[in-house]
Amino acid sequence: MLLLISPDGVEEALACAKAAEHLDIVDVKKPDEGSLGANFPWVIREIRDAVPADKPVSATVGDVPYKPGSVAQAALGAAVSGATYIKVGLYGCTTPEQGVEVMQAVVRAVKDHRPDALVVASGYADAHRVGCVNPLALPDIAARAGADAAMLDTAIKDGTRLFDHVPPEVCADFVRRAHASGLLAALAGSVKQADVGPLTRIGTDIVGVRGAVCSGGDRNAGRIQPHLVAAFRAEMDRQAREYAADVPALN
C-alpha cells in the first residue's frame, strides 16, 4: 500500500521532503477549496521542485462540475505543471454517463500531453449528502473512460470518516471492482492510524492522508509534521507484516 500525503503549499511540501523516506506520493491540493480543492499551477511546480525527484507528485483538479471541456483544460494544466497523478473529483456528476464523459475528456487531454501520467477518477463515500454519483460506480466509470485508478474520499469534511459512510466490507467491494478492471484502488477521507489494518486487508493500493499527519489532527488549521508521517508509515509497515504472517495461516 502506497502512502499519499497532501500538503497545501511549499512549506508543508518541505516537511514532506524531510519525511520523504516514509511516503510514496506528494499530493497537491488546496483544502480551503474543498475535499479535492485545486491549487495553483505555480504551487504544483514549486512543490515538484521542493520534493525529491523520485517522489511522484499528484495534483487534484478540484471538486469539479459536469463541464467536460473546462475540466479537461484544468487537468492538462496540472499535468503541464509537473503532476504525475491527476485526480478529478466528480462532484457535479449525478450519473455514471456524466462521469464517463468528463473522465474521457480528461484522459485524452492528459495522455496526449504525457502518456505516462496516471489519471484518477475520484468519487465520494458520502455522495448521498451532496447528490453526486454512487461511489461504487467509480471503478466502472474509470475503466470505461480509460483512467488508471478509482478513488474514494469524503466530500464534506465535518469529522466523519470514510468508514462512517462506506464500511470496510463495502470498501472491499470497491477495491475488488477496481482490481477486476485493472485499476488501482485509492481510499481516503479522514483516515486515521486505526484504519490502516482494514485498509491493508482489503487490498487498498493507495491510502490518502492529511489530517492524521497534521498537528492536532486538523487538516485545515494544523500543519504536516514529519514525525507524524513517520508514525503513520510505521503503522502501515506493522499492519503489512501482520497481514503477511496471517495469509499463510489462512491458506
Side-chain angles (χ1 to χ4, degrees):
M1 188 160 67
L2 302 179
L3 177 57
L4 177 150
I5 302 292
S6 301
D8 66 356
V10 177
E11 179 185 340
E12 284 193 329
L14 292 173
C16 289
K18 292 178 182 177
E21 65 183 295
H22 304 296
L23 59 86
D24 301 292
I25 303 167
V26 177
D27 179 56
V28 186
K29 64 170 58 173
K30 199 168 184 290
D32 62 358
E33 290 197 11
S35 170
L36 294 171
N39 216 317
F40 302 106
W42 51 89
V43 173
I44 298 173
R45 288 196 299 270
E46 289 168 356
I47 289 177
R48 173 64 280 173
D49 291 341
V51 302
D54 64 339
K55 297 297 176 182
V57 167
S58 164
T60 55
V61 174
D63 298 308
V64 306
Y66 170 51
K67 293 186 177 180
S70 297
V71 180
Q73 285 204 33
L76 177 59
V80 169
S81 299
T84 302
Y85 291 77
I86 313 297
K87 290 164 49 185
V88 181
L90 297 175
Y91 191 95
C93 295
T94 58
T95 68
E97 289 69 27
Q98 289 180 349
V100 171
E101 188 178 353
V102 169
M103 291 309 306
Q104 283 177 332
V106 167
V107 168
R108 179 172 179 178
V110 169
K111 301 280 189 179
D112 280 353
H113 172 72
R114 184 175 176 181
D116 65 332
L118 299 174
V119 176
V120 184
S122 298
Y124 305 91
D126 54 345
H128 59 284
R129 299 203 289 175
V130 295
C132 57
V133 69
N134 187 307
L136 286 182
L138 262 295
D140 183 60
I141 290 170
R144 288 168 60 192
D148 303 284
M151 180 175 187
L152 287 185
D153 204 326
T154 50
I156 301 174
K157 300 299 184 181
D158 59 356
T160 59
R161 295 155 67 183
L162 172 71
F163 289 154
D164 292 332
H165 302 287
V166 180
E169 61 271 18
V170 181
C171 284
D173 187 23
F174 177 90
V175 171
R176 282 193 298 269
R177 293 181 187 212
H179 288 170
S181 294
L183 303 168
L184 296 172
L187 295 171
S190 300
V191 169
K192 308 298 183 188
Q193 280 196 31
D195 302 321
V196 171
L199 289 169
T200 300
R201 282 161 174 75
I202 66 176
T204 309
D205 297 300
I206 303 170
V207 58
V209 174
R210 177 170 170 80
V213 297
C214 285
S215 51
D218 190 326
R219 75 185 294 271
N220 292 315
R223 311 304 295 162
I224 290 175
Q225 303 297 316
H227 74 278
L228 295 178
V229 176
F232 199 95
R233 168 61 76 181
E235 178 62 12
M236 288 175 62
D237 291 344
R238 186 180 74 82
Q239 291 291 345
R241 288 192 299 270
E242 288 190 4
Y243 181 57
D246 288 344
V247 170
L250 292 173
N251 292 335

